Amino acid sequence: MSAPTTQQVEPRTPRRTLRGRPELYTDYAKDQALLNTPAKRFWTGLLLLAALVLPWMPFATRAWIGNLTVVLIYAIGGIGLNLVTGFAGQVSLGHAFFVGVGAFSAAFLGGSPGRAAGGLELEMWVWLPLSGLIAMVIGLAVAPLAARVRGLYLAILTLGLVFLGEHIFREWEFITGGFIGRSAPDPIVGGFNLYQRQEIFGVDVTREAIYYTFCLVILVVMALLARNLARSGSGRAFAAVRDRDIAAEVMGVPLLRTKVVAFGVSSFYAGVCGALLTIPFGQITPENFGGLAGLLLSVEFLAVILIGGVATISGSIIGAAFVVLLPRVVEIASQYIPFVGGQGSGAFLTVFQVNGILFGALIVAFLVLEPRGLFGLWLRVRNYWKAWPFSY
Amino acid sequence: MVMIRPLSEALTDTSVDLPEGKPLLEITDLALRFGGTRAIDGVSFDVKNGELFSIIGPNGAGKTSIFNVLSGVYRPQAGSVRFLDRSLLGMRPDAIAKLGISRMFQNIELFDNLTVLDNLMLGRHQHLDYGMLSGMAWVGKAKRIELTNRRIVEDIIDFLEIEAHRKFPVGMLPYGIKKRVELGRALAMEPKLLLLDEPVAGMNVEETEDMARFILDIRAELDLTMIMVEHDMGLVMDLADRVMVLDFGKRISLGEPEEVQNDPAVIAAYLGEGDEGPTLEDEIAESKGGQDVEEAAT
Ligand SMILES: Nc1ncnc2c1ncn2[C@@H]1O[C@H](COP(=O)(O)OP(=O)(O)OP(=O)(O)O)[C@@H](O)[C@H]1O
Ligand SMILES: [Mg+2]
């Protein structure tokens, strides 16, 4: 051993103390880390790995990978709504409008010019972030108005956006293609089409698998950014405004600015969600995002955060899986349940109606029984096992 | 491991250099009406630099209203409020907070869903000078600033002896601890003027003693100017440098504790409360005698 140098050596906790006590924090940086327990590190790693290898499993059909891709994209939109509604407490029914803005921006920026509509044929690395930014700018423009009302009035004001959106999407043909809509842009990055069967290192890869993997990466990045936002000063400001706005202001949190920022970030996430959604949709029309269908889409996103867990990022992902996959499961199950059938089959209940009933019941059940959503249920299970065999 | 530092090393910006005799806060002819009620009716007073100034008075006298005017929550109809030679009138609460005024609320106003740590970190909000994007990336500047402020918050947690509750959502904590967390959040703002609205209301004797000790320690360590509204007369007479008495929004007395105690106008005001209200002397005797002061506070 060499003699200790005169250099200042950071005092260290001896390894002996640390071994077997992974939850003993020796500095605040470790305590503040996102994955601050071994269990969190393990499960996050495992889930990520599972998500990555999933499309390569023999049982993964193209249709199912497509469904899972929609889950990933919905999760991005869900995180966006959770930021403004779950964290900042500003209930928005206008989320579908911003998703629509993102979708049509993407279609215009990335699509080719058609009969009535223009198109810039840009590559995806331009149109994807730009669609988010355009939605964000519109969100920032609307926010100062929205930030002045609260509760039911805010819900109604943001609902108005959806119907305003339907009108704009229909009339502004040059951008949106008008009534019949327009086709999705090509997701080309550096000449490489992300939605086309490709041979990669001699392996034949389906377009669904490629696009799924791409969306997974985008989701991971955006979820990480949102988690950081939530634990930083801005995230705390959101929660303060949600819980007690006057106290927040007295503590030095600017009320209007905080709400506007929350709307802006949320709209960015919605815009990216919409842009990504164009690809699995293939063709996008004003009916996808405006009017009654838009309202339904907004409610679906509310279901994502209510079922998944208000003010949690991981909850938004679980919620998205639930909301996107449940109708598919119902569809499959309907073949085995006698009084449920497809549209026009003359059955007592259509699949569509069963979905509506299930969602309604689930939202009410979660609101009443477990406001923290599936994430809250998970916490209960975890705490039960932590405390086992004690029941308190 | 991080060493515990004295509070004065964590919070360095709480005392003000003012020329001798220059008050920190000057209020003149302040008037605030709600419809027909005159909550504040032509009140004037100064708070000296470094002083512990106390405001007392029967229920509804207008004490909390003065705090609400000071922190920008209420807009007075007339009068002037000057702090560090600037007028506070028309300023938004968050701007006033930036100037260096922080407060505890009469009815606890903590962020119930957040942990003790996050509540105190919110007190540091105006000292976090990194942008939202930097926060989202959580590298470099944002991370560094979060860590230094976390340390300051930990020092306050140590000082207030609430280490065990650090990671609990404050909504679940007992009342006495919540009051401490609220004091901690106000301290974390590193204010130049601290407003305490009934800091020991509803507390038992030991909790009251603890709170008194914290207030004395804060004075000794930080040289921080404070205004305290309190119904616990024992506490006011022991701690305050000067006392102002309000009744129906009007100032009826101002001076050192002994002067105010013997002021006929004050005695009359407290006697005038009739059968349901305790007299000033009763209240002093009661709190000094170690009785529960809850009744007097509500
Ligand atoms: N927001 C408000 N709207 C209407 N009236 C109000 C409002 N705030 C205070 N008041 C009235 O102003 C008067 C002074 O109230 P304030 O809360 O300042 O009294 P206080 O001295 O703090 O009393 P307490 O000892 O009960 O806390 C009361 O008559 C009260 O009803
Ligand atoms: Mg009061």
Side-chain angles (χ1 to χ4, degrees), chain B residues 34 37 39 57-65 74 106 198 231:
Chain B
F34 293 104
T37 30
N59 293 127
K63 307 178 295 291
T64 300
S65 298
Y74 289 168
Q106 182 171 357
E198 307 200 10
H231 282 284

Side-chain angles (χ1 to χ4, degrees), chain B residues 24-90:
Chain B
L24 183 71
L25 178 76
E26 297 174 75
I27 290 185
T28 24
D29 298 328
L30 194 65
L32 176 74
R33 282 186 305 276
F34 293 104
T37 30
R38 294 169 183 274
I40 309 172
D41 196 358
V43 170
S44 305
F45 65 96
D46 291 345
V47 176
K48 294 182 191 135
N49 197 9
E51 182 176 40
L52 201 163
F53 187 89
S54 188
I55 304 178
I56 62 170
N59 293 127
K63 307 178 295 291
T64 300
S65 298
I66 290 189
F67 277 10
N68 280 334
V69 167
L70 278 176
S71 49
V73 179
Y74 289 168
R75 300 264 153 111
Q77 278 87 10
S80 82
V81 179
R82 297 187 73 78
F83 173 69
L84 284 173
D85 255 340
R86 294 180 60 162
S87 171
L88 299 186
L89 296 187

Side-chain angles (χ1 to χ4, degrees), chain A residues 31 228 231 233 236 244, chain B residues 110 130 136 146 150 167:
Chain A
D31 186 27
N228 283 339
R231 65 173 168 159
R236 282 190 299 263
R244 282 182 194 273
Chain B
L110 289 166
Y130 65 84
M136 285 176 98
E146 280 284 320
R150 167 76 188 268
K167 298 225 167 151

